Amino acid sequence: MSRPAALVQRVIKAYDVRGLVGEEIDEAFVRDVGASFARLVRDTARQVVIGYDMRASSPTLAGAFAAGVVAQGLDVVRIGLASTDQLYFASGLLNCPGAMFTASHNPAAYNGIKLCRAGAKPVGKDTGLTTISDEVIAGVPDHDGPSGSITDRDVLADYGEFLRSLVDIGGLRPLRVAVDAGNGMAGHTTPAVLGAIPSITLAPLYFELDGTFPNHEANPLDAANLVDLQNHVLDTGADIGLAFDGDADRCFVVDERGQAVSPSAVTALVAARELTREIGATVIHNLITSRAVPELVSERGGTPVRSRVGHSYIKALMAETGAIFGGEHSAHYYFRDFWGADSGMLAALHVLAALGEQDRPLSEMMADYQRYEASGEINFTVTDAPAVIDAVLQSFGSRVHAIDHLDGVTVDLGDGCWFNLRMSNTEPLLRLNVEARTSEEVKALVDEIAGHIPSVAEEFT
């Protein structure tokens, strides 16, 4: 059956499928998406692996997607409850396309689908989602042939064993690790990965799988959602705190003092570790990570490559350059040894290994990678973003040392001070990131830029 174009195009986005359950996404819609996805990949694949998160709607929607796939003649392997990186692992292990049912950190009323080709290669707007959208709008053609079959496979233990094989964790000192799963999928994967390491004692928080998120949003990028973990670290005397988002593909770190660690510092740490394995390797960083990242990569003999913001750009550059690692300000971390896909749990293992290999507390260890102060991402609601950007640029005049337009506009003011302004692809938002050598310089620059932006600002540090 055909569907309204406006609805389909609103739900099938640039990187995934996401919308309100019952209003925008239902079983019939998802079945059509599954059928179209099967048509997209069946020239190179005979089966599709499917996983889902803890949301109440996820099992039913995953079942509808599976029905669409088998109706097109492909087989389905169901792995059941899974984190997104566990689904990527299954796609790599089985060398087949995959579908993960999750709305990540979005509220309980939402659900969605992250799609990948064999080997966890991403499916985005330019690599299949537009084709799927067009077919769902027009009506997906029926398959003239036999239906596929459905089987079940538990890959959780294999996933945990594989991640641990990628990081040397044999000589770690005893560590108490506080983990806030946010009632998301880290409550499912953390025991299977970290619980099997003898030197680690877990201090779990909100491990109960609950897609209504009764304690706080499963979005650690918002500082308000880190407060419980910060208190838990102090209450339990933990050496480190880890917070995951709803589908557990992003990992945020808190030190022993209860202070949040910048994802840029984590990127620099993991990059340094990976460069000890392969001198001269390429490391990808997006353009709003700290300048400390490319500086450190160059100092360690690596080749830093700058990317636009967004996982599709990072993953494409990972494949194009053969990069060993990539990191984003949003705590997505990408690994060549993990099919170029992102895994928050694998990044956590690297941080734990680095901490456990030496005797300093985490705060002292991470100080080696924290060279600048940053504003975090500040969102401004605007009606004419290009005009606002022009006004900001004109206000700086001759103070600008260098400027580029890789993603929005990045302005270098010299002496370690820079800012980036870029438009959201999906909302009437202008996003600002500022970095300087001191917090006072950061605040002054944010205030100056905000003075030229007529809007309401919302900050996510």
Side-chain angles (χ1 to χ4, degrees):
M1 61 175 288
S2 60
R3 297 185 181 277
L7 171 65
V8 174
Q9 291 166 355
R10 184 167 68 247
V11 174
I12 300 180
K13 302 179 185 297
Y15 309 123
D16 60 14
V17 180
R18 200 173 301 194
L20 286 166
V21 176
E23 296 181 24
E24 298 174 321
I25 291 179
D26 58 20
E27 291 178 58
F29 176 86
V30 167
R31 189 183 190 279
D32 284 352
V33 173
S36 182
F37 182 62
R39 287 169 48 81
L40 180 73
V41 301
R42 68 182 174 194
D43 286 346
T44 57
R46 296 308 310 157
Q47 63 182 9
V48 175
V49 61
I50 300 175
Y52 57 84
D53 71 9
M54 66 289 145
R55 294 167 188 267
S57 60
S58 290
T60 299
L61 294 178
F65 186 94
V69 171
V70 298
Q72 291 290 330
L74 296 191
D75 297 333
V76 164
V77 179
R78 299 183 300 196
I79 63 171
L81 283 166
S83 62
T84 291
D85 67 326
Q86 185 184 336
L87 184 279
Y88 292 153
F89 165 77
S91 172
L93 176 71
L94 303 176
N95 194 31
C96 70
M100 175 67 192
F101 278 78
T102 181
S104 185
H105 61 275
N106 285 123
Y110 287 81
N111 213 326
I113 321 167
K114 293 182 178 180
L115 299 169
C116 64
R117 295 180 184 266
K121 292 180 175 61
V123 174
K125 180 179 180 180
D126 298 327
T127 52
L129 285 181
T130 298
T131 300
I132 292 172
S133 177
D134 291 345
E135 281 202 346
V136 171
I137 291 168
V140 183
D142 292 333
H143 172 59
D144 184 16
S147 297
S149 64
I150 298 178
T151 58
D152 295 302
R153 179 164 178 173
D154 185 353
V155 301
L156 181 59
D158 294 333
Y159 157 80
E161 183 178 357
F162 180 75
L163 289 188
R164 290 191 300 273
S165 75
L166 298 178
V167 182
D168 183 2
I169 52 175
L172 304 191
R173 62 181 169 94
L175 295 173
R176 180 175 294 276
V177 181
V179 180
D180 182 352
N183 299 109
M185 291 314 301
H188 176 70
T189 58
T190 299
V193 182
L194 304 185
I197 302 174
S199 57
I200 287 178
T201 300
L202 291 175
L205 184 66
Y206 308 145
F207 270 38
E208 304 80 11
L209 300 183
D210 188 339
T212 67
F213 307 114
N215 295 292
H216 60 70
E217 290 183 353
N219 179 21
L221 189 59
D222 184 342
N225 298 319
L226 283 178
V227 172
D228 287 356
L229 175 62
Q230 291 169 314
N231 291 332
H232 191 55
V233 166
L234 297 176
D235 291 343
T236 60
D239 297 290
I240 183 174
L242 305 172
F244 294 87
D245 63 348
D247 59 336
D249 62 349
R250 290 187 294 155
C251 177
F252 292 75
V253 178
V254 169
D255 68 24
E256 81 288 349
R257 306 168 303 168
Q259 299 298 307
V261 175
S262 162
S264 287
V266 173
T267 296
L269 167 67
V270 179
R273 288 177 55 82
E274 291 287 65
L275 287 168
T276 64
R277 296 196 302 116
E278 187 174 315
I279 303 299
T282 296
V283 172
I284 309 294
H285 64 98
N286 76 21
L287 56 81
I288 57 176
T289 54
S290 172
R291 292 282 173 88
V293 174
E295 287 175 2
L296 182 138
V297 169
S298 296
E299 289 164 9
R300 300 296 176 96
T303 303
V305 173
R306 194 161 166 262
S307 167
R308 295 185 63 182
V309 175
H311 77 92
S312 63
Y313 302 112
I314 292 264
K315 288 177 178 176
L317 274 175
M318 291 283 290
E320 179 184 331
T321 63
I324 196 169
F325 172 66
E328 292 198 271
H329 73 293
S330 56
H332 281 285
Y333 305 106
Y334 307 81
F335 298 85
R336 187 177 66 196
D337 291 347
F338 196 69
W339 298 280
D342 45 326
S343 172
M345 193 64 74
L346 183 50
L349 280 170
H350 273 284
V351 178
L352 291 171
L355 179 61
E357 289 167 358
Q358 47 89 68
D359 294 328
R360 291 182 298 168
L362 182 64
S363 58
E364 290 185 18
M365 185 184 81
M366 295 310 301
D368 296 342
Y369 305 95
Q370 185 72 45
R371 300 181 177 181
Y372 304 95
E373 299 295 329
S375 65
E377 188 154 276
I378 304 170
N379 293 324
F380 298 88
T381 302
V382 298
T383 55
D384 189 347
V388 171
I389 292 174
D390 285 344
V392 170
L393 291 180
Q394 289 178 20
S395 73
F396 280 90
S398 62
R399 294 160 58 192
V400 174
H401 283 221
I403 188 168
D404 74 57
H405 299 271
L406 175 63
D407 190 355
V409 59
T410 301
V411 177
D412 187 343
L413 299 172
D415 195 30
C417 185
W418 61 271
F419 68 89
N420 172 269
L421 275 171
R422 72 189 200 284
M423 292 180 286
S424 167
N425 289 324
T426 57
E427 303 171 271
L429 296 177
L430 189 61
R431 307 190 192 279
L432 170 66
N433 283 267
V434 171
E435 184 171 76
R437 294 195 178 277
T438 68
S439 56
E440 292 78 12
E441 289 176 297
V442 168
K443 184 180 185 306
L445 186 53
V446 168
D447 290 345
E448 180 179 355
I449 294 169
H452 297 281
I453 304 178
S455 71
V456 177
E458 183 177 5
E459 183 170 357
F460 295 93
T461 54

